[in-house]
Amino acid sequence: MGGVGRVFIRKENDPLHTNSLAPLPEAFNLTTHEDEDTVAGFEDEEEEEQAGSGSEGEEEEEEEEEEEEGEEEEEEEEEEEEEAKQRSKYHVEEDERNVRHFFSEALATLRRGHAQKLDVDAIALEMSSLKLSHNVSVLSYARGTFAALISLVEGVPAKDKDAPGWKPTSAVVKSLQAVLKRWHPILKKFAKAQKDQESMMEALALFFIERPALSPLAKWLLQQLHDLDVFSEEAILQWAQDVPKGDAAKQRVLKEIEPFLKWLEEEEEEEEEDAE
């Protein structure tokens, strides 16, 4: 007979033989008090890192905002410098009362000369005397003269509020050409140097800024003055090149005369090619 196998009898009170697992003794616990302190330390470090990364992100955003603000400030400063540069090029300190008096007397003189069909040379002499007696610059002389000449053109509205959406008709353009053909010598007399022509271009722009409703007339006026040799193409293009990008009012005037400017540039390119 084979040997009798051993029989193990379970004891009811033996915890190893129960269906439920008893908690492990502290010695077998993988996380001791020391480990808990270490884990807590790691957690603190992790929180600090997260807080640090968050603050770093905020710092980066602040730096980017500061850089953007700095770039905007630089652009504004450049625009201001550009505008100041143009003002210094054309602007002359003058007595505003003298300028206003000149404007008023120039208007009366030209209207009288036009209505009575007086000799152009005689009126040109009177205009020169007014310029000297009121001590006005070429810029102010041209501003007053342009305002007076355009007031002589038939079909031009006297006030902007009476002319919303106004555009010059062929009759207006024809009248403008006749006025300039007769009276352009009073401008040409003070437009011999290119710098003076540029000052007159500035005066022309200022007139249309003050009378924006008449700005569609700008290209016709400029073309006629060029054809009459009052303005050279060099002076016109140089003035246009010097207009600050941030000067919205003058940019609108540039837009009105853009077709004529493009034509001048093409003519200049053709002349250069012929010279080669």
Side-chain angles (χ1 to χ4, degrees):
M1 292 180 64
V4 177
R6 295 182 181 180
V7 177
F8 296 92
I9 300 173
R10 295 182 180 178
K11 295 181 181 179
E12 292 181 2
N13 296 327
D14 188 348
L16 295 176
H17 297 127
T18 59
N19 292 330
S20 62
L21 293 176
L24 289 172
E26 190 173 345
F28 290 94
N29 195 334
L30 296 178
T31 306
T32 63
H33 291 302
E34 294 180 358
D35 292 333
E36 286 177 357
D37 294 339
T38 305
V39 171
F42 286 147
E43 289 176 352
D44 292 341
E45 289 178 3
E46 187 177 353
E47 289 176 0
E48 289 176 2
E49 287 178 1
Q50 290 176 352
S53 63
S55 62
E56 287 176 4
E58 290 175 0
E59 288 176 2
E60 288 178 359
E61 288 180 1
E62 288 177 2
E63 288 176 0
E64 288 178 0
E65 289 177 0
E66 288 176 0
E67 287 178 4
E68 289 177 359
E69 289 176 0
E71 289 175 359
E72 289 176 359
E73 287 177 1
E74 286 179 4
E75 289 177 1
E76 288 176 1
E77 287 176 2
E78 287 176 0
E79 289 177 359
E80 288 175 1
E81 287 176 3
E82 199 175 353
E83 290 177 11
K85 182 180 178 182
Q86 193 185 41
R87 282 197 299 271
S88 65
K89 183 175 182 180
Y90 301 113
H91 182 70
V92 178
E93 291 295 333
E94 299 176 278
D95 188 321
E96 288 299 321
R97 291 174 300 176
N98 286 348
V99 172
R100 287 196 299 271
H101 289 157
F102 171 77
F103 286 175
S104 177
E105 292 184 36
L107 178 64
T109 299
L110 278 169
R111 283 183 171 175
R112 173 171 50 82
H114 192 69
Q116 298 178 16
K117 298 182 180 179
L118 300 177
D119 182 67
V120 174
D121 291 337
I123 296 298
L125 184 60
E126 282 190 47
M127 291 291 288
S128 297
S129 298
L130 289 174
K131 181 183 183 303
L132 292 172
S133 63
H134 292 294
N135 193 28
V136 297
S137 65
V138 171
L139 175 67
S140 293
Y141 175 83
R143 285 180 67 189
T145 303
F146 282 134
L149 290 175
I150 292 174
S151 74
L152 303 178
V153 178
E154 296 177 6
V156 171
K159 297 180 180 178
D160 280 17
K161 65 179 182 179
D162 300 330
W166 180 82
K167 291 187 181 300
T169 62
S170 57
V172 170
V173 173
K174 187 175 180 180
S175 176
L176 173 68
Q177 290 172 340
V179 168
L180 292 177
K181 186 177 180 180
R182 175 170 174 76
W183 295 110
H184 76 274
I186 64 176
L187 286 167
K188 196 170 183 178
K189 185 172 184 177
F190 295 100
K192 293 177 181 178
Q194 181 172 322
K195 66 175 183 178
D196 293 329
Q197 293 176 27
E198 290 177 29
S199 292
M200 287 191 174
M201 277 292 302
E202 179 79 355
L204 190 63
L206 292 174
F207 171 78
F208 286 113
I209 289 170
E210 292 167 0
R211 297 289 311 276
L214 303 185
S215 59
L217 198 63
K219 63 181 179 181
W220 300 106
L221 180 57
L222 184 56
Q223 181 179 346
Q224 188 70 6
L225 291 171
H226 173 263
D227 291 346
L228 293 168
D229 295 326
V230 177
F231 293 161
S232 67
E233 62 185 52
E234 291 82 9
I236 295 170
L237 294 175
Q238 185 61 56
W239 176 85
Q241 184 180 333
D242 291 341
V243 172
K245 293 180 181 178
D247 193 328
K250 287 196 185 107
Q251 287 294 331
R252 285 194 291 271
V253 176
L254 271 182
K255 189 175 181 181
E256 289 291 344
I257 63 175
E258 187 177 8
F260 183 65
L261 294 177
K262 286 183 177 179
W263 180 82
L264 283 181
E265 289 170 353
E266 290 171 0
E267 285 290 305
E268 191 176 39
E269 289 173 2
E270 288 179 5
E271 288 176 3
E272 289 176 358
E273 289 175 0
D274 292 341
E276 292 176 358

